[in-house]
Amino acid sequence: MRILFALLTLFCLFNTAGLAQTLNQNSGWLFLMNTTKINEKWGTHLDVQFRSADEWDYLRNFMFRPGVTYYLNNKNEVTLGYLLNETFNQNDGAADNKIKEHRIWQQYIHKHKIGKASVSHRFRTEQRFIERNQDDLFAQRFRYFIRAIVPLKKGQAQFDQGAFLALQNEAFIHLHNEDAAKVFDQNRAYIAAGYRFGKQLDLEAGYLNQTSAGASRYTMNHAIQLALYTRF
């Protein structure tokens, strides 16, 4: 319970960022993720995301992120990948209602246990190529992500099946972005309830709080997320 209390405290602390001069929005996110281990050292990564606009009005974002993973050992892995992000707009008079972004990304993940909780730390860098109507933009970003899965059933030496709580937080900072006035980009805090059907499948639903920095104010997005994790 100590890890659960600590992560809930962290969630509340990050959630207070940007409360002043904040625009509030509500949306829905669908997150699909697969990891496939080809052999002892190599594997693949794929996540696909669908995100709605404010008030679930229309499909705002589609994201497709494949990658290749090299397993250093059971606790450490590195991945190199590509991302396609399509952002759809419904502004009247817009010359083009779709903005495309291509990314190259690299990440390192470290996994460990704290009590019965499984904890993972992810360090990711991104090189972003953003296509815009007037001029294209190149930017770079760093992301730190921490996630804990806490099984609810007692007495399990290894968590292979049953209900769990998932808590995570991810902080984004700009390494290079000519359009960004602040180093801080955004923060995402998330809490969910889920069920592990077996070693290959997790399903969870939860609340994600996304606080993003703009030029003059913050935007706080309250998102309901449904996530499906598969492992082969």
mmCIF file of all heavy atoms in Angstrom, residues 148-195:
data_model
loop_
_atom_site.group_PDB
_atom_site.id
_atom_site.type_symbol
_atom_site.label_atom_id
_atom_site.label_comp_id
_atom_site.label_asym_id
_atom_site.label_seq_id
_atom_site.Cartn_x
_atom_site.Cartn_y
_atom_site.Cartn_z
ATOM 1 N N ALA A 148 3.054 2.044 -12.609
ATOM 2 C CA ALA A 148 3.020 0.956 -11.631
ATOM 3 C C ALA A 148 1.725 0.180 -11.792
ATOM 4 O O ALA A 148 0.646 0.772 -11.952
ATOM 5 C CB ALA A 148 3.133 1.490 -10.213
ATOM 6 N N ILE A 149 1.831 -1.134 -11.774
ATOM 7 C CA ILE A 149 0.673 -2.024 -11.764
ATOM 8 C C ILE A 149 0.624 -2.712 -10.412
ATOM 9 O O ILE A 149 1.585 -3.383 -10.003
ATOM 10 C CB ILE A 149 0.755 -3.064 -12.903
ATOM 11 C CG1 ILE A 149 0.649 -2.367 -14.264
ATOM 12 C CG2 ILE A 149 -0.345 -4.102 -12.760
ATOM 13 C CD1 ILE A 149 0.740 -3.312 -15.440
ATOM 14 N N VAL A 150 -0.487 -2.518 -9.694
ATOM 15 C CA VAL A 150 -0.644 -3.057 -8.346
ATOM 16 C C VAL A 150 -1.740 -4.113 -8.369
ATOM 17 O O VAL A 150 -2.928 -3.789 -8.502
ATOM 18 C CB VAL A 150 -1.000 -1.942 -7.344
ATOM 19 C CG1 VAL A 150 -1.060 -2.505 -5.924
ATOM 20 C CG2 VAL A 150 -0.013 -0.789 -7.437
ATOM 21 N N PRO A 151 -1.407 -5.414 -8.260
ATOM 22 C CA PRO A 151 -2.439 -6.457 -8.230
ATOM 23 C C PRO A 151 -3.318 -6.316 -6.996
ATOM 24 O O PRO A 151 -2.844 -5.964 -5.902
ATOM 25 C CB PRO A 151 -1.623 -7.757 -8.179
ATOM 26 C CG PRO A 151 -0.247 -7.382 -8.624
ATOM 27 C CD PRO A 151 -0.052 -5.965 -8.206
ATOM 28 N N LEU A 152 -4.601 -6.584 -7.148
ATOM 29 C CA LEU A 152 -5.539 -6.463 -6.028
ATOM 30 C C LEU A 152 -5.720 -7.782 -5.278
ATOM 31 O O LEU A 152 -6.159 -7.782 -4.130
ATOM 32 C CB LEU A 152 -6.894 -5.963 -6.532
ATOM 33 C CG LEU A 152 -6.875 -4.564 -7.172
ATOM 34 C CD1 LEU A 152 -8.278 -4.162 -7.603
ATOM 35 C CD2 LEU A 152 -6.294 -3.536 -6.216
ATOM 36 N N LYS A 153 -5.390 -8.887 -5.933
ATOM 37 C CA LYS A 153 -5.510 -10.192 -5.280
ATOM 38 C C LYS A 153 -4.260 -10.482 -4.485
ATOM 39 O O LYS A 153 -3.142 -10.342 -4.970
ATOM 40 C CB LYS A 153 -5.738 -11.283 -6.329
ATOM 41 C CG LYS A 153 -6.022 -12.658 -5.738
ATOM 42 C CD LYS A 153 -6.307 -13.684 -6.836
ATOM 43 C CE LYS A 153 -6.571 -15.059 -6.250
ATOM 44 N NZ LYS A 153 -6.854 -16.061 -7.320
ATOM 45 N N LYS A 154 -4.438 -10.907 -3.247
ATOM 46 C CA LYS A 154 -3.299 -11.193 -2.373
ATOM 47 C C LYS A 154 -2.790 -12.618 -2.575
ATOM 48 O O LYS A 154 -3.506 -13.483 -3.074
ATOM 49 C CB LYS A 154 -3.699 -10.995 -0.915
ATOM 50 C CG LYS A 154 -4.083 -9.564 -0.572
ATOM 51 C CD LYS A 154 -4.449 -9.431 0.896
ATOM 52 C CE LYS A 154 -4.816 -7.990 1.245
ATOM 53 N NZ LYS A 154 -5.180 -7.857 2.677
ATOM 54 N N GLY A 155 -1.541 -12.821 -2.174
ATOM 55 C CA GLY A 155 -0.977 -14.168 -2.138
ATOM 56 C C GLY A 155 -0.495 -14.706 -3.472
ATOM 57 O O GLY A 155 -0.297 -15.908 -3.614
ATOM 58 N N GLN A 156 -0.275 -13.821 -4.469
ATOM 59 C CA GLN A 156 0.233 -14.276 -5.766
ATOM 60 C C GLN A 156 1.731 -14.037 -5.843
ATOM 61 O O GLN A 156 2.196 -12.908 -5.718
ATOM 62 C CB GLN A 156 -0.456 -13.521 -6.910
ATOM 63 C CG GLN A 156 -1.888 -13.934 -7.165
ATOM 64 C CD GLN A 156 -2.471 -13.206 -8.365
ATOM 65 O OE1 GLN A 156 -2.359 -11.996 -8.484
ATOM 66 N NE2 GLN A 156 -3.079 -13.949 -9.270
ATOM 67 N N ALA A 157 2.481 -15.104 -6.060
ATOM 68 C CA ALA A 157 3.927 -14.959 -6.218
ATOM 69 C C ALA A 157 4.248 -14.272 -7.543
ATOM 70 O O ALA A 157 5.168 -13.460 -7.632
ATOM 71 C CB ALA A 157 4.607 -16.328 -6.143
ATOM 72 N N GLN A 158 3.468 -14.582 -8.579
ATOM 73 C CA GLN A 158 3.619 -13.962 -9.888
ATOM 74 C C GLN A 158 2.236 -13.565 -10.389
ATOM 75 O O GLN A 158 1.302 -14.364 -10.366
ATOM 76 C CB GLN A 158 4.285 -14.927 -10.866
ATOM 77 C CG GLN A 158 4.579 -14.290 -12.225
ATOM 78 C CD GLN A 158 5.395 -15.207 -13.117
ATOM 79 O OE1 GLN A 158 5.978 -16.181 -12.651
ATOM 80 N NE2 GLN A 158 5.423 -14.913 -14.408
ATOM 81 N N PHE A 159 2.111 -12.323 -10.839
ATOM 82 C CA PHE A 159 0.813 -11.807 -11.252
ATOM 83 C C PHE A 159 0.541 -12.186 -12.705
ATOM 84 O O PHE A 159 1.027 -11.540 -13.622
ATOM 85 C CB PHE A 159 0.772 -10.287 -11.066
ATOM 86 C CG PHE A 159 -0.538 -9.668 -11.473
ATOM 87 C CD1 PHE A 159 -1.744 -10.180 -11.014
ATOM 88 C CD2 PHE A 159 -0.569 -8.568 -12.315
ATOM 89 C CE1 PHE A 159 -2.956 -9.618 -11.393
ATOM 90 C CE2 PHE A 159 -1.766 -7.993 -12.695
ATOM 91 C CZ PHE A 159 -2.973 -8.523 -12.230
ATOM 92 N N ASP A 160 -0.266 -13.231 -12.904
ATOM 93 C CA ASP A 160 -0.609 -13.710 -14.241
ATOM 94 C C ASP A 160 -2.071 -13.504 -14.588
ATOM 95 O O ASP A 160 -2.445 -13.566 -15.762
ATOM 96 C CB ASP A 160 -0.274 -15.201 -14.388
ATOM 97 C CG ASP A 160 1.224 -15.453 -14.383
ATOM 98 O OD1 ASP A 160 1.968 -14.555 -14.814
ATOM 99 O OD2 ASP A 160 1.636 -16.542 -13.946
ATOM 100 N N GLN A 161 -2.917 -13.277 -13.565
ATOM 101 C CA GLN A 161 -4.338 -13.116 -13.834
ATOM 102 C C GLN A 161 -4.992 -12.418 -12.650
ATOM 103 O O GLN A 161 -4.612 -12.608 -11.504
ATOM 104 C CB GLN A 161 -5.012 -14.472 -14.074
ATOM 105 C CG GLN A 161 -6.456 -14.371 -14.530
ATOM 106 C CD GLN A 161 -7.036 -15.732 -14.880
ATOM 107 O OE1 GLN A 161 -6.484 -16.770 -14.536
ATOM 108 N NE2 GLN A 161 -8.165 -15.739 -15.576
ATOM 109 N N GLY A 162 -5.998 -11.564 -12.967
ATOM 110 C CA GLY A 162 -6.759 -10.911 -11.910
ATOM 111 C C GLY A 162 -6.859 -9.405 -12.086
ATOM 112 O O GLY A 162 -6.310 -8.823 -13.028
ATOM 113 N N ALA A 163 -7.572 -8.775 -11.174
ATOM 114 C CA ALA A 163 -7.791 -7.332 -11.213
ATOM 115 C C ALA A 163 -6.558 -6.580 -10.705
ATOM 116 O O ALA A 163 -5.785 -7.096 -9.889
ATOM 117 C CB ALA A 163 -9.011 -6.968 -10.377
ATOM 118 N N PHE A 164 -6.395 -5.346 -11.173
ATOM 119 C CA PHE A 164 -5.256 -4.534 -10.753
ATOM 120 C C PHE A 164 -5.602 -3.054 -10.856
ATOM 121 O O PHE A 164 -6.575 -2.656 -11.514
ATOM 122 C CB PHE A 164 -4.011 -4.838 -11.607
ATOM 123 C CG PHE A 164 -4.158 -4.509 -13.075
ATOM 124 C CD1 PHE A 164 -3.882 -3.237 -13.564
ATOM 125 C CD2 PHE A 164 -4.564 -5.482 -13.986
ATOM 126 C CE1 PHE A 164 -4.004 -2.942 -14.918
ATOM 127 C CE2 PHE A 164 -4.691 -5.202 -15.340
ATOM 128 C CZ PHE A 164 -4.415 -3.915 -15.805
ATOM 129 N N LEU A 165 -4.782 -2.252 -10.191
ATOM 130 C CA LEU A 165 -4.798 -0.808 -10.361
ATOM 131 C C LEU A 165 -3.568 -0.406 -11.158
ATOM 132 O O LEU A 165 -2.481 -0.958 -10.944
ATOM 133 C CB LEU A 165 -4.784 -0.089 -9.008
ATOM 134 C CG LEU A 165 -6.078 -0.090 -8.197
ATOM 135 C CD1 LEU A 165 -5.856 0.631 -6.874
ATOM 136 C CD2 LEU A 165 -7.226 0.548 -8.967
ATOM 137 N N ALA A 166 -3.722 0.551 -12.056
ATOM 138 C CA ALA A 166 -2.599 1.096 -12.823
ATOM 139 C C ALA A 166 -2.497 2.582 -12.532
ATOM 140 O O ALA A 166 -3.491 3.305 -12.598
ATOM 141 C CB ALA A 166 -2.797 0.860 -14.315
ATOM 142 N N LEU A 167 -1.289 3.019 -12.174
ATOM 143 C CA LEU A 167 -1.025 4.434 -11.936
ATOM 144 C C LEU A 167 0.200 4.828 -12.737
ATOM 145 O O LEU A 167 1.194 4.093 -12.762
ATOM 146 C CB LEU A 167 -0.784 4.707 -10.445
ATOM 147 C CG LEU A 167 -1.931 4.366 -9.506
ATOM 148 C CD1 LEU A 167 -1.621 3.054 -8.791
ATOM 149 C CD2 LEU A 167 -2.135 5.467 -8.485
ATOM 150 N N GLN A 168 0.114 5.973 -13.379
ATOM 151 C CA GLN A 168 1.270 6.406 -14.176
ATOM 152 C C GLN A 168 1.315 7.926 -14.282
ATOM 153 O O GLN A 168 0.317 8.610 -14.059
ATOM 154 C CB GLN A 168 1.226 5.781 -15.574
ATOM 155 C CG GLN A 168 0.093 6.269 -16.451
ATOM 156 C CD GLN A 168 -0.050 5.483 -17.734
ATOM 157 O OE1 GLN A 168 -0.056 4.246 -17.718
ATOM 158 N NE2 GLN A 168 -0.204 6.182 -18.857
ATOM 159 N N ASN A 169 2.493 8.419 -14.605
ATOM 160 C CA ASN A 169 2.671 9.840 -14.884
ATOM 161 C C ASN A 169 3.752 9.992 -15.939
ATOM 162 O O ASN A 169 4.725 9.242 -15.968
ATOM 163 C CB ASN A 169 3.078 10.610 -13.626
ATOM 164 C CG ASN A 169 2.910 12.106 -13.815
ATOM 165 O OD1 ASN A 169 1.816 12.642 -13.658
ATOM 166 N ND2 ASN A 169 3.984 12.788 -14.183
ATOM 167 N N GLU A 170 3.547 10.971 -16.838
ATOM 168 C CA GLU A 170 4.531 11.244 -17.874
ATOM 169 C C GLU A 170 4.712 12.747 -18.012
ATOM 170 O O GLU A 170 3.737 13.490 -18.170
ATOM 171 C CB GLU A 170 4.105 10.643 -19.219
ATOM 172 C CG GLU A 170 5.168 10.800 -20.294
ATOM 173 C CD GLU A 170 4.877 10.008 -21.564
ATOM 174 O OE1 GLU A 170 3.709 9.648 -21.797
ATOM 175 O OE2 GLU A 170 5.838 9.738 -22.316
ATOM 176 N N ALA A 171 5.966 13.189 -17.943
ATOM 177 C CA ALA A 171 6.309 14.603 -18.088
ATOM 178 C C ALA A 171 7.043 14.811 -19.406
ATOM 179 O O ALA A 171 7.906 14.013 -19.782
ATOM 180 C CB ALA A 171 7.175 15.059 -16.920
ATOM 181 N N PHE A 172 6.700 15.893 -20.120
ATOM 182 C CA PHE A 172 7.282 16.227 -21.421
ATOM 183 C C PHE A 172 8.016 17.565 -21.300
ATOM 184 O O PHE A 172 7.447 18.543 -20.769
ATOM 185 C CB PHE A 172 6.200 16.413 -22.478
ATOM 186 C CG PHE A 172 5.351 15.211 -22.781
ATOM 187 C CD1 PHE A 172 4.563 14.620 -21.806
ATOM 188 C CD2 PHE A 172 5.306 14.690 -24.062
ATOM 189 C CE1 PHE A 172 3.750 13.536 -22.099
ATOM 190 C CE2 PHE A 172 4.493 13.599 -24.371
ATOM 191 C CZ PHE A 172 3.718 13.029 -23.380
ATOM 192 N N ILE A 173 9.232 17.636 -21.831
ATOM 193 C CA ILE A 173 9.939 18.913 -21.889
ATOM 194 C C ILE A 173 10.508 19.106 -23.300
ATOM 195 O O ILE A 173 10.859 18.142 -23.978
ATOM 196 C CB ILE A 173 11.062 19.028 -20.833
ATOM 197 C CG1 ILE A 173 12.128 17.958 -21.058
ATOM 198 C CG2 ILE A 173 10.515 18.961 -19.419
ATOM 199 C CD1 ILE A 173 13.364 18.163 -20.202
ATOM 200 N N HIS A 174 10.563 20.377 -23.721
ATOM 201 C CA HIS A 174 11.113 20.701 -25.026
ATOM 202 C C HIS A 174 12.641 20.718 -24.975
ATOM 203 O O HIS A 174 13.232 21.380 -24.117
ATOM 204 C CB HIS A 174 10.626 22.081 -25.481
ATOM 205 C CG HIS A 174 9.159 22.152 -25.744
ATOM 206 N ND1 HIS A 174 8.548 21.446 -26.751
ATOM 207 C CD2 HIS A 174 8.168 22.855 -25.120
ATOM 208 C CE1 HIS A 174 7.251 21.712 -26.753
ATOM 209 N NE2 HIS A 174 6.993 22.561 -25.776
ATOM 210 N N LEU A 175 13.274 20.008 -25.886
ATOM 211 C CA LEU A 175 14.717 20.125 -26.085
ATOM 212 C C LEU A 175 15.021 21.172 -27.155
ATOM 213 O O LEU A 175 16.026 21.881 -27.076
ATOM 214 C CB LEU A 175 15.303 18.776 -26.503
ATOM 215 C CG LEU A 175 15.149 17.636 -25.495
ATOM 216 C CD1 LEU A 175 15.711 16.342 -26.078
ATOM 217 C CD2 LEU A 175 15.833 17.967 -24.175
ATOM 218 N N HIS A 176 14.123 21.248 -28.142
ATOM 219 C CA HIS A 176 14.260 22.252 -29.204
ATOM 220 C C HIS A 176 12.899 22.443 -29.850
ATOM 221 O O HIS A 176 12.305 21.492 -30.372
ATOM 222 C CB HIS A 176 15.269 21.792 -30.259
ATOM 223 C CG HIS A 176 15.256 22.642 -31.500
ATOM 224 N ND1 HIS A 176 15.825 23.890 -31.537
ATOM 225 C CD2 HIS A 176 14.723 22.421 -32.737
ATOM 226 C CE1 HIS A 176 15.657 24.404 -32.757
ATOM 227 N NE2 HIS A 176 14.993 23.535 -33.498
ATOM 228 N N ASN A 177 12.381 23.678 -29.789
ATOM 229 C CA ASN A 177 11.117 24.015 -30.438
ATOM 230 C C ASN A 177 11.018 25.533 -30.533
ATOM 231 O O ASN A 177 10.833 26.222 -29.529
ATOM 232 C CB ASN A 177 9.930 23.442 -29.656
ATOM 233 C CG ASN A 177 8.618 23.574 -30.418
ATOM 234 O OD1 ASN A 177 8.443 24.477 -31.236
ATOM 235 N ND2 ASN A 177 7.689 22.666 -30.156
ATOM 236 N N GLU A 178 11.129 26.063 -31.729
ATOM 237 C CA GLU A 178 11.127 27.512 -31.916
ATOM 238 C C GLU A 178 9.772 28.136 -31.611
ATOM 239 O O GLU A 178 9.695 29.339 -31.333
ATOM 240 C CB GLU A 178 11.542 27.843 -33.357
ATOM 241 C CG GLU A 178 12.985 27.455 -33.683
ATOM 242 C CD GLU A 178 13.356 27.756 -35.124
ATOM 243 O OE1 GLU A 178 12.456 28.185 -35.885
ATOM 244 O OE2 GLU A 178 14.536 27.560 -35.476
ATOM 245 N N ASP A 179 8.699 27.350 -31.642
ATOM 246 C CA ASP A 179 7.362 27.874 -31.365
ATOM 247 C C ASP A 179 6.983 27.808 -29.886
ATOM 248 O O ASP A 179 5.941 28.336 -29.493
ATOM 249 C CB ASP A 179 6.316 27.090 -32.166
ATOM 250 C CG ASP A 179 6.295 27.495 -33.627
ATOM 251 O OD1 ASP A 179 7.107 28.363 -34.010
ATOM 252 O OD2 ASP A 179 5.479 26.952 -34.384
ATOM 253 N N ALA A 180 7.792 27.146 -29.069
ATOM 254 C CA ALA A 180 7.450 26.955 -27.657
ATOM 255 C C ALA A 180 8.110 28.021 -26.795
ATOM 256 O O ALA A 180 9.324 28.189 -26.821
ATOM 257 C CB ALA A 180 7.873 25.566 -27.187
ATOM 258 N N ALA A 181 7.281 28.722 -26.015
ATOM 259 C CA ALA A 181 7.806 29.771 -25.137
ATOM 260 C C ALA A 181 8.343 29.199 -23.833
ATOM 261 O O ALA A 181 9.137 29.847 -23.148
ATOM 262 C CB ALA A 181 6.713 30.793 -24.845
ATOM 263 N N LYS A 182 7.927 27.992 -23.473
ATOM 264 C CA LYS A 182 8.314 27.379 -22.203
ATOM 265 C C LYS A 182 9.074 26.082 -22.461
ATOM 266 O O LYS A 182 8.865 25.415 -23.472
ATOM 267 C CB LYS A 182 7.073 27.086 -21.345
ATOM 268 C CG LYS A 182 6.211 28.302 -21.029
ATOM 269 C CD LYS A 182 4.996 27.882 -20.214
ATOM 270 C CE LYS A 182 4.116 29.078 -19.868
ATOM 271 N NZ LYS A 182 3.445 29.639 -21.055
ATOM 272 N N VAL A 183 9.948 25.723 -21.515
ATOM 273 C CA VAL A 183 10.628 24.431 -21.591
ATOM 274 C C VAL A 183 9.633 23.305 -21.319
ATOM 275 O O VAL A 183 9.654 22.258 -21.966
ATOM 276 C CB VAL A 183 11.804 24.386 -20.594
ATOM 277 C CG1 VAL A 183 12.419 22.983 -20.557
ATOM 278 C CG2 VAL A 183 12.868 25.409 -20.973
ATOM 279 N N PHE A 184 8.725 23.545 -20.345
ATOM 280 C CA PHE A 184 7.694 22.554 -20.027
ATOM 281 C C PHE A 184 6.687 22.473 -21.170
ATOM 282 O O PHE A 184 6.156 23.477 -21.634
ATOM 283 C CB PHE A 184 6.978 22.948 -18.736
ATOM 284 C CG PHE A 184 5.742 22.128 -18.442
ATOM 285 C CD1 PHE A 184 5.851 20.838 -17.961
ATOM 286 C CD2 PHE A 184 4.477 22.659 -18.666
ATOM 287 C CE1 PHE A 184 4.711 20.084 -17.699
ATOM 288 C CE2 PHE A 184 3.334 21.916 -18.406
ATOM 289 C CZ PHE A 184 3.451 20.622 -17.921
ATOM 290 N N ASP A 185 6.416 21.257 -21.635
ATOM 291 C CA ASP A 185 5.439 21.054 -22.699
ATOM 292 C C ASP A 185 4.100 20.590 -22.128
ATOM 293 O O ASP A 185 3.079 21.240 -22.298
ATOM 294 C CB ASP A 185 5.985 20.038 -23.704
ATOM 295 C CG ASP A 185 4.984 19.717 -24.805
ATOM 296 O OD1 ASP A 185 4.191 20.609 -25.157
ATOM 297 O OD2 ASP A 185 4.990 18.588 -25.314
ATOM 298 N N GLN A 186 4.126 19.444 -21.446
ATOM 299 C CA GLN A 186 2.876 18.924 -20.886
ATOM 300 C C GLN A 186 3.160 17.861 -19.840
ATOM 301 O O GLN A 186 4.284 17.367 -19.722
ATOM 302 C CB GLN A 186 1.981 18.341 -21.981
ATOM 303 C CG GLN A 186 2.593 17.184 -22.746
ATOM 304 C CD GLN A 186 1.653 16.604 -23.782
ATOM 305 O OE1 GLN A 186 0.729 15.847 -23.460
ATOM 306 N NE2 GLN A 186 1.889 16.958 -25.048
ATOM 307 N N ASN A 187 2.106 17.520 -19.082
ATOM 308 C CA ASN A 187 2.175 16.434 -18.112
ATOM 309 C C ASN A 187 0.889 15.618 -18.205
ATOM 310 O O ASN A 187 -0.200 16.165 -18.385
ATOM 311 C CB ASN A 187 2.339 16.957 -16.688
ATOM 312 C CG ASN A 187 2.664 15.845 -15.711
ATOM 313 O OD1 ASN A 187 3.813 15.440 -15.591
ATOM 314 N ND2 ASN A 187 1.653 15.329 -15.023
ATOM 315 N N ARG A 188 1.043 14.294 -18.107
ATOM 316 C CA ARG A 188 -0.107 13.397 -18.159
ATOM 317 C C ARG A 188 -0.103 12.491 -16.923
ATOM 318 O O ARG A 188 0.803 11.676 -16.754
ATOM 319 C CB ARG A 188 -0.070 12.528 -19.417
ATOM 320 C CG ARG A 188 -0.146 13.311 -20.718
ATOM 321 C CD ARG A 188 -0.031 12.385 -21.908
ATOM 322 N NE ARG A 188 0.076 13.123 -23.159
ATOM 323 C CZ ARG A 188 0.351 12.555 -24.335
ATOM 324 N NH1 ARG A 188 0.532 11.247 -24.405
ATOM 325 N NH2 ARG A 188 0.449 13.303 -25.422
ATOM 326 N N ALA A 189 -1.104 12.652 -16.092
ATOM 327 C CA ALA A 189 -1.284 11.800 -14.917
ATOM 328 C C ALA A 189 -2.487 10.895 -15.159
ATOM 329 O O ALA A 189 -3.510 11.338 -15.695
ATOM 330 C CB ALA A 189 -1.493 12.655 -13.672
ATOM 331 N N TYR A 190 -2.372 9.641 -14.734
ATOM 332 C CA TYR A 190 -3.375 8.645 -15.128
ATOM 333 C C TYR A 190 -3.580 7.631 -14.014
ATOM 334 O O TYR A 190 -2.622 7.181 -13.368
ATOM 335 C CB TYR A 190 -2.877 7.946 -16.396
ATOM 336 C CG TYR A 190 -3.697 6.784 -16.904
ATOM 337 C CD1 TYR A 190 -4.935 6.974 -17.502
ATOM 338 C CD2 TYR A 190 -3.203 5.475 -16.822
ATOM 339 C CE1 TYR A 190 -5.669 5.908 -18.007
ATOM 340 C CE2 TYR A 190 -3.923 4.403 -17.330
ATOM 341 C CZ TYR A 190 -5.156 4.624 -17.922
ATOM 342 O OH TYR A 190 -5.876 3.565 -18.417
ATOM 343 N N ILE A 191 -4.851 7.279 -13.779
ATOM 344 C CA ILE A 191 -5.193 6.226 -12.831
ATOM 345 C C ILE A 191 -6.276 5.368 -13.459
ATOM 346 O O ILE A 191 -7.204 5.902 -14.094
ATOM 347 C CB ILE A 191 -5.643 6.799 -11.470
ATOM 348 C CG1 ILE A 191 -5.952 5.661 -10.490
ATOM 349 C CG2 ILE A 191 -6.819 7.765 -11.619
ATOM 350 C CD1 ILE A 191 -6.151 6.138 -9.059
ATOM 351 N N ALA A 192 -6.149 4.041 -13.333
ATOM 352 C CA ALA A 192 -7.086 3.151 -14.019
ATOM 353 C C ALA A 192 -7.282 1.876 -13.221
ATOM 354 O O ALA A 192 -6.453 1.493 -12.380
ATOM 355 C CB ALA A 192 -6.569 2.809 -15.422
ATOM 356 N N ALA A 193 -8.398 1.208 -13.508
ATOM 357 C CA ALA A 193 -8.664 -0.138 -13.012
ATOM 358 C C ALA A 193 -8.634 -1.073 -14.199
ATOM 359 O O ALA A 193 -9.108 -0.728 -15.302
ATOM 360 C CB ALA A 193 -10.019 -0.201 -12.319
ATOM 361 N N GLY A 194 -8.054 -2.252 -13.999
ATOM 362 C CA GLY A 194 -7.932 -3.170 -15.121
ATOM 363 C C GLY A 194 -8.044 -4.616 -14.708
ATOM 364 O O GLY A 194 -8.136 -4.943 -13.512
ATOM 365 N N TYR A 195 -8.035 -5.482 -15.711
ATOM 366 C CA TYR A 195 -8.077 -6.916 -15.462
ATOM 367 C C TYR A 195 -7.088 -7.604 -16.392
ATOM 368 O O TYR A 195 -7.063 -7.332 -17.606
ATOM 369 C CB TYR A 195 -9.479 -7.484 -15.691
ATOM 370 C CG TYR A 195 -9.626 -8.895 -15.172
ATOM 371 C CD1 TYR A 195 -9.965 -9.127 -13.840
ATOM 372 C CD2 TYR A 195 -9.399 -10.002 -15.988
ATOM 373 C CE1 TYR A 195 -10.079 -10.413 -13.345
ATOM 374 C CE2 TYR A 195 -9.513 -11.291 -15.509
ATOM 375 C CZ TYR A 195 -9.855 -11.496 -14.174
ATOM 376 O OH TYR A 195 -9.950 -12.776 -13.681
#
